[in-house]
Amino acid sequence: MTHIHITAWVIGIILFLVTYSMLKSENPKAKMLHMITRLFYLLIFLTGGMLITDFGVYAVKMIVGIIVIAAMEMVLVRTKKGKGTSAMWILFIVAFIFVLYLGFSLPQGFDFF
Ligand code: HEM
């Protein structure tokens, strides 16, 4: 199950980056890619949710994971609207590093930390 969760967020982040560059270059297919990226948000959330065995232990992991997803969506929407995205990129990077640390130090799956 951790492998499905990892696959979901790796693909989700690649799609997020592709959608971002398509929005930047005003590619008309960006809208479609954005929809697929959103589908992956759901998959990340569902596969992560299935890994929760103890809410006390995993609540922080879940909240930070949701912040990563929210930051990705804010970057995309603000890029589309032509607004500044630096604050959202910082939020995305900080939350992403934190969630990787949490995921890999929590009991299941790989334990790098
Ligand atoms: C983009 C967002 C996310 C990223 C990058 C991410 C990353 C990770 C990583 C690296 C792991 C460790 C896998 C392993 O040890 O093999 C993991 C595990 C886990 N994730 Fe996520 N995650 C995200 C979103 C979420 C969300 C939204 C939830 C909750 C709904 C969640 C719940 C969990 C749980 C419960 C585990 C198991 C932790 C363990 O005991 O090892 N994740 N995640």
Side-chain angles (χ1 to χ4, degrees), residues 6 81 101 108:
I6 294 174
K81 290 184 178 164
Y101 170 74
Q108 301 172 62

Side-chain angles (χ1 to χ4, degrees), residues 73-109:
E73 180 62 14
M74 297 282 266
V75 167
L76 294 182
V77 171
R78 292 182 69 90
T79 305
K80 197 171 160 190
K81 290 184 178 164
K83 292 185 182 167
T85 50
S86 17
M88 288 306 142
W89 275 112
I90 293 168
L91 181 66
F92 167 71
I93 290 163
V94 172
F96 182 61
I97 293 169
F98 191 35
V99 92
L100 284 185
Y101 170 74
L102 285 173
F104 288 133
S105 57
L106 282 165
Q108 301 172 62

Side-chain angles (χ1 to χ4, degrees), residues 5 9 44 48 51 58 61-62 99 103-104 106-110:
H5 184 55
W9 64 253
I44 297 167
L51 286 167
Y58 291 125
K61 170 72 179 63
M62 186 178 115
V99 92
F104 288 133
L106 282 165
Q108 301 172 62
F110 301 101

